[in-house]
Amino acid sequence: MSHTLYRKYRPQQFADIHGQVGIITTLKNQLVSGRTAHAYLFAGTRGTGKTTTARVLAKAVNCHTRAAGMFEPCGQCPSCTDITAGRSIDVIELDAATHTGVDTVREEIIENSRVLPTRDRCKIFIIDEVHMLSTSSFNALLKSLEEPPAHVIYILATTELHKIPATVASRCQRFIFQPLALSVMQEKLRAIAAAENVTVADSVVQKILAVSGGAMRDAESLLGQLLALHADTITDEVAAALLPPSSFSETIEFINRLHASDAVACFTLVAELFESGTDLVAFHDALLRRAHELMVCGATGVVPRYLGIFSDDETQQLLGATRALPAAWLGRLIAQLVEKRSLYKTIASPFLPLHLVIATTIEAAPAQRPPETKQQTPTPVAPPPRVEPNSVTTISREIIERFWPQAVQAIVTEQPSLGIVLAATAITDVRDNQIVLSVRFPMHRERLIDLKLKTRIEARLSELCGATVTYVAEYDPDLMSHDPNVAAALDTFGGRVVA
């Protein structure tokens, strides 16, 4: 029977477990001295080796040929082979995620623990995802943990240590499994590829490590999918069929545009990513990683190894981008990304979380002020010409377009966040002193028809033009195609406008 890579290459001895030196050393010493604990609590993120270590510990405790003073299981005796195959009657594995009720704990654990081992030295219970047990289940288990039979060992594994009751955790020896170092993961992936007689490009290994998020099991699963392509050499072109495309350059560009308060470019990039089939949740997570990397690189001046494995080009992009991105601003961006991340679970729109990040980050940005200079005698400047009140009754489009930039500047000075909306607004018609304003996004129209904002803009325009001016706002997704320059480019090169 064939197995997935993470099962085929699962460590079977302590020597095969990497990245958890302190934990393995402690367990070895306990085995050598014969002073194993009655209950262990293994905690850590997924794919760090908790269940694997529990099984190796169970094999070492029950190994029939392990001599005194030794710690490694033989791997050949009936007990070792049965545990490896998952059929040992004295090592009971229970998935608490699917067996949360108190009845299961009483029948499978408490009642079973009272029976002596059938063949081996100890009866060992490995309870995975133990934090999923109900409160009553924990209470039922508490007595057994407090006064366990001499022949019983409990090994509890969890990815969420904070959910374990203090009364349970205090009765166990706690071991915190750390995420594996990238160098350790890289070495193991290369060893697996060599054992499978496949050559994997360095860049592909780096992509696997980046996607796996530090979980060895996830990295091995991804490598297994690539090996299923039956290619002797896994290159970037081959891996592109399964691995998501790199969004490194896109995230750097997005953050730079966000810092420049270029809302139109940011909204457009999100739309283009969606139309190209990019998972916006994955892009959101990539933005969060990139902002963190940029903040650390800006503070240290280098790219620390623990952040990940980067190509020379990516390293240069990170260091280059940090020169223009203040750490405090990146910190605020990270806070926005973290806050909006949970919205994907509660709303149907895949756009809204990123759109909110754009709007709130740009609105929170301080207004740009010119540098202070020494006081000088001001040079008299002639005021801009304006139409005297009541000097005209009907306002032409030429006059409106003449004073529109001044009205926009006055409004944006009072409220900088409105620059996003007004910069993307176009005057498409003037009828009887009523302006027709067109926008490309529905959210911009909603902002323009807000009564308070509408009153302010109309009052400013009326003051500048010397007559009463009103406006209506219309949503026009094809607004850019009306621009003569854009129309000429479309006629020349072909294509279409992407909203």
Side-chain angles (χ1 to χ4, degrees):
M1 181 176 66
S2 61
H3 293 292
T4 54
L5 288 186
Y6 77 85
R7 293 182 60 191
K8 181 177 180 180
Y9 293 97
R10 183 190 291 272
Q12 301 299 327
Q13 291 189 324
F14 287 113
D16 301 329
I17 302 174
H18 301 289
Q20 312 295 345
V21 178
I23 295 173
I24 300 305
T25 300
T26 302
L27 295 178
K28 286 179 180 178
N29 291 339
Q30 289 183 352
L31 289 165
V32 169
S33 63
R35 296 178 179 177
T36 53
H38 72 278
Y40 295 90
L41 177 58
F42 292 167
T45 57
R46 73 184 193 280
T48 51
K50 301 182 295 296
T51 306
T52 295
T53 303
R55 290 176 180 174
V56 174
L57 176 60
K59 287 202 293 185
V61 169
N62 283 341
C63 181
H64 294 174
T65 62
R66 182 175 65 88
M70 304 300 291
F71 54 82
E72 290 284 18
C74 70
Q76 304 296 325
C77 67
S79 176
C80 288
T81 55
D82 284 353
I83 294 173
T84 301
R87 59 172 181 261
S88 174
I89 56 177
D90 290 324
V91 176
I92 300 152
E93 292 193 37
L94 186 68
D95 180 17
T98 54
H99 300 85
T100 62
V102 64
D103 291 336
T104 301
V105 172
R106 287 174 178 156
E107 295 171 6
E108 298 291 336
I109 300 176
I110 298 175
E111 295 297 331
N112 210 346
S113 65
R114 296 171 181 169
V115 180
L116 291 173
T118 303
R119 177 191 61 192
D120 298 334
R121 188 175 305 164
C122 291
K123 182 160 284 190
I124 300 174
F125 295 89
I126 300 175
I127 309 176
D128 205 5
E129 300 297 337
V130 69
H131 62 272
M132 298 292 287
L133 289 179
S134 63
T135 302
S136 56
S137 298
F138 274 123
N139 291 335
L141 186 61
L142 191 59
K143 185 65 176 177
S144 295
L145 288 174
E146 189 173 13
E147 299 177 2
H151 59 273
V152 171
I153 295 177
Y154 296 103
I155 305 177
L156 316 180
T158 179
T159 54
E160 300 186 44
L161 180 60
H162 62 281
K163 292 185 178 180
I164 306 299
T167 50
V168 172
S170 63
R171 287 165 172 78
C172 304
Q173 285 194 4
R174 279 181 282 184
F175 293 94
I176 308 301
F177 284 68
Q178 301 297 330
L180 298 183
L182 292 174
S183 57
V184 173
M185 295 178 64
Q186 189 175 27
E187 181 181 349
K188 185 168 184 182
L189 289 179
R190 294 194 181 286
I192 292 174
E196 297 290 328
N197 296 318
V198 175
T199 302
V200 181
D202 292 343
S203 55
V204 174
V205 173
Q206 293 175 10
K207 288 180 181 178
I208 292 175
L209 296 178
V211 174
S212 65
M216 191 67 236
R217 182 172 61 245
D218 292 0
E220 290 171 336
S221 295
L222 284 171
L223 180 60
Q225 293 178 46
L226 293 176
L227 296 184
L229 297 174
H230 301 294
D232 294 333
T233 302
I234 306 296
T235 61
D236 287 320
E237 291 75 17
V238 174
L242 290 175
L243 291 180
S246 173
S247 58
F248 192 92
S249 298
E250 286 83 354
T251 51
I252 294 287
E253 176 68 13
F254 186 91
I255 292 173
N256 283 331
R257 293 293 187 183
L258 204 56
H259 182 252
S261 296
D262 191 347
V264 175
C266 292
F267 282 119
T268 302
L269 178 58
V270 172
E272 290 174 349
L273 289 171
F274 181 76
E275 289 193 357
S276 66
T278 301
D279 182 356
L280 294 185
V281 180
F283 184 74
H284 190 118
D285 293 339
L287 276 176
L288 183 56
R289 289 196 305 271
R290 204 70 62 239
H292 176 217
E293 292 159 2
L294 288 167
M295 183 178 67
V296 174
C297 293
T300 61
V302 297
V303 182
R305 185 72 172 175
Y306 65 81
L307 286 180
I309 299 176
F310 302 98
S311 65
D312 293 340
D313 180 59
E314 290 172 343
T315 300
Q316 292 305 315
Q317 287 190 60
L318 279 176
L319 295 176
T322 55
R323 299 188 184 99
L325 299 172
W329 181 86
L330 286 167
R332 290 192 294 271
L333 174 60
I334 291 172
Q336 287 292 335
L337 288 167
V338 171
E339 178 184 340
K340 303 301 187 292
R341 178 62 174 80
S342 60
L343 294 178
Y344 290 102
K345 298 179 181 179
T346 57
I347 61 175
S349 170
F351 301 100
L352 185 56
L354 282 173
H355 284 179
L356 287 174
V357 169
I358 296 169
T360 53
T361 303
I362 291 178
E363 184 171 2
Q368 297 294 326
R369 297 181 179 177
E372 294 184 1
T373 57
K374 292 183 179 179
Q375 235 177 2
Q376 297 178 354
T377 305
T379 304
V381 178
R386 57 171 290 174
V387 180
E388 293 300 326
N390 301 322
S391 62
V392 291
T393 351
T394 304
I395 304 299
S396 67
R397 179 167 179 166
E398 180 183 359
I399 294 176
I400 294 294
E401 291 179 342
R402 175 183 172 189
F403 289 113
W404 174 253
Q406 297 178 38
V408 169
Q409 182 61 41
I411 297 296
V412 172
T413 301
E414 297 171 2
Q415 191 173 352
S417 63
L418 292 176
I420 303 171
V421 178
L422 297 176
T425 302
I427 299 173
T428 54
D429 196 8
V430 177
R431 301 188 295 260
D432 298 327
N433 288 13
Q434 185 178 66
I435 310 170
V436 179
L437 299 178
S438 297
V439 290
R440 294 176 57 204
F441 302 104
M443 66 178 69
H444 288 180
R445 180 182 177 277
E446 294 297 324
R447 198 76 182 273
L448 286 174
I449 64 176
D450 177 76
L451 183 59
K452 291 183 179 179
L453 176 61
K454 190 173 187 293
T455 302
R456 288 170 54 198
I457 295 177
E458 290 176 345
R460 182 67 66 177
L461 272 174
S462 298
E463 179 186 349
L464 290 169
C465 296
T468 302
V469 178
T470 61
Y471 73 79
V472 293
E474 296 180 349
Y475 166 55
D476 183 1
D478 299 322
L479 178 61
M480 285 191 66
S481 61
H482 302 326
D483 188 313
N485 295 324
V486 174
L490 292 176
D491 290 339
T492 304
F493 301 105
R496 61 190 178 89
V497 176
V498 179

